[in-house]
Amino acid sequence: MPLDTIYLTRHGHRLSWTIDFRTGTYRAQFPTPTGNPADPALTSHGVNQSYELAEHIAGPQFHPKPFRVYSSPFYRCLQTIQPSVEELKRISAESDKKQIDGKIGSIDQHAELDVRIENGLGEWFGATNFFDHPAHPTLEIMSTHFPTLLSDISQLYKPLLIPSRRGETITQLHNRIATALEGIIADIDAEVSALEADLPPDQITSKSVLICAHAAPLIAMGRALTGHMPDDSAEEDFNVFTAGLSTFKRRGVSSTASAGHSSDQEENLNEETLAEGTTFLRASGSPPRWRNGRGVGGGWDCVANGDCSFLSGGAERGWHFDGEESFNITMASPSEPSANVGATKL
């Protein structure tokens, strides 16, 4: 059967950075593992959250367990899912899959748990017309930090797209996320179809994917999956607490979620293209039609919205859009005093 469950998690509580909005200069609160000031590690509390998340996902009642794992390329995301992936790999290695495959809490016999780095799921930076935001960490760099997550199989995965370093508007972010999700879902559906082509019905199992990313992209993912974009982007519709977990189930072919909504032509009139400077590696240069209840990949329903019941600290560090994070101003003269603005995505 095709992919039917998507789990979304936000990275755990992290260290911070600041940006001088007059010059576009980023400064990290503490030295970062990759040298990128916008790529901090988790705090000790965030590390604890990552282990609590792993205990939840690896638990016997968590089902279906991830069949594939995707992540933003940033350090804090990989650090958050590292305990989960390592524990899933341990369970998989110790299990007799032929006997337990398909049972509650088991791991699919065709699971590939090496993390796929997808730049299209990366952090949101506001639009700017006079400086470049920090580049995404490279797979080569991250492989040195997370060798248990990024093996030779991970090296074979080619990202769908790389966001523009000049940032994005809120609409462009949503379209970028929709484009990445559409490609991910299509990839997994094709893989599952090939794997299960010759399997008897009793060996065909439910398939799920785990995705770790950041607050703004995760809100955009919820909207792209369900097809519901609020008139006000600041509406608090999808919860993105640190290390919280949201679950989306694929709609059946009989779903009427998109019935009665505006036409494709009307939808296109209200859409912006992806940000100039976006690099398309495998994805189409045009975003999919996902609004008006349609959703990418046939549409998905949110059945668990930011679950934090497994976290000892409960729901923490919630975030929502509060207007554009635009940096489109003239660069300040060197003689003018600079002003630091703290990072807004906690």
Side-chain angles (χ1 to χ4, degrees):
M1 60 188 300
L3 178 68
D4 59 70
T5 305
I6 293 178
Y7 302 115
L8 302 181
T9 190
R10 183 183 172 193
H11 60 77
H13 183 226
R14 62 160 174 80
L15 296 169
S16 298
W17 69 78
T18 59
I19 177 173
D20 184 333
F21 70 85
R22 294 177 182 269
T23 63
T25 302
Y26 280 78
R27 294 183 178 88
Q29 180 183 18
F30 296 97
T32 62
T34 62
N36 182 335
D39 190 29
L42 300 179
T43 63
S44 59
H45 179 57
V47 172
N48 289 337
Q49 288 179 316
S50 75
Y51 280 99
E52 291 177 331
L53 174 66
E55 183 179 3
H56 178 61
I57 291 175
Q61 298 307 310
F62 188 89
H63 188 80
K65 283 188 165 41
F67 166 79
R68 299 285 188 266
V69 182
Y70 287 77
S71 177
S72 157
F74 287 86
Y75 190 95
R76 55 194 178 274
C77 291
L78 288 163
Q79 188 180 13
T80 297
I81 59 172
Q82 183 175 16
S84 296
V85 173
E86 290 178 348
E87 184 62 12
L88 290 172
K89 286 186 173 185
R90 185 193 67 77
I91 295 171
S92 180
E94 293 180 358
S95 299
D96 182 354
K97 300 174 189 175
K98 292 184 179 179
Q99 294 181 11
I100 69 171
D101 192 47
K103 293 184 179 180
I104 298 298
S106 67
I107 297 177
D108 191 280
Q109 63 178 316
H110 299 296
E112 291 179 3
L113 297 171
D114 289 307
V115 178
R116 297 178 176 186
I117 297 297
E118 179 49 64
N119 300 68
L121 304 174
E123 180 66 285
W124 175 51
F125 296 103
T128 171
N129 59 6
F130 70 97
F131 69 89
D132 286 342
H133 292 290
H136 284 185
T138 65
L139 178 60
E140 291 73 23
I141 290 176
M142 302 315 286
S143 296
T144 65
H145 292 285
F146 300 98
T148 61
L149 305 190
L150 303 172
S151 68
D152 292 341
I153 294 177
S154 298
Q155 306 283 344
L156 297 176
Y157 179 79
K158 185 176 183 179
L160 291 149
L161 60 91
I162 299 176
S164 171
R165 290 189 62 189
R166 285 301 176 101
E168 302 161 305
T169 65
I170 291 175
T171 298
Q172 289 168 342
L173 164 69
H174 281 73
N175 283 336
R176 183 249 292 181
I177 291 297
T179 302
L181 284 176
E182 181 184 59
I184 288 171
I185 293 168
D187 281 351
I188 298 178
D189 282 349
E191 291 174 31
V192 172
S193 179
L195 287 170
E196 297 185 340
D198 299 322
L199 289 181
D202 63 348
Q203 292 186 27
I204 294 178
T205 61
S206 181
K207 299 293 192 294
S208 69
V209 61
L210 173 64
I211 295 174
C212 185
H214 315 263
L218 286 168
I219 293 173
M221 286 183 216
R223 293 169 176 175
L225 289 169
T226 61
H228 297 303
M229 180 69 191
D231 293 333
D232 181 359
S233 64
E235 180 177 314
E236 297 185 42
D237 44 4
F238 294 101
N239 297 326
V240 288
F241 304 111
T242 49
L245 194 67
S246 294
T247 304
F248 293 80
K249 293 287 186 179
R250 204 168 198 164
R251 296 175 189 151
V253 293
S254 61
S255 173
T256 59
S258 62
H261 293 278
S262 61
S263 67
D264 291 344
Q265 183 176 4
E266 290 173 334
E267 180 180 343
N268 287 341
L269 291 175
N270 296 321
E271 287 187 358
E272 295 180 28
T273 59
L274 278 74
E276 183 177 356
T278 302
T279 302
F280 301 98
L281 302 178
R282 293 193 295 121
S284 167
S286 299
R289 297 185 178 117
W290 59 271
R291 293 171 175 78
N292 304 316
R294 183 177 290 105
V296 295
W300 304 71
D301 296 318
C302 182
V303 299
N305 188 2
D307 176 29
C308 296
S309 61
F310 53 90
L311 297 172
S312 58
E316 299 178 280
R317 316 293 284 189
W319 188 90
H320 64 91
F321 289 98
D322 187 20
E324 300 285 357
E325 293 189 2
S326 175
F327 299 90
N328 290 338
I329 59 175
T330 303
M331 185 180 295
S333 166
S335 62
E336 293 183 42
S338 64
N340 287 341
V341 176
T344 57
K345 290 174 281 299
L346 299 173

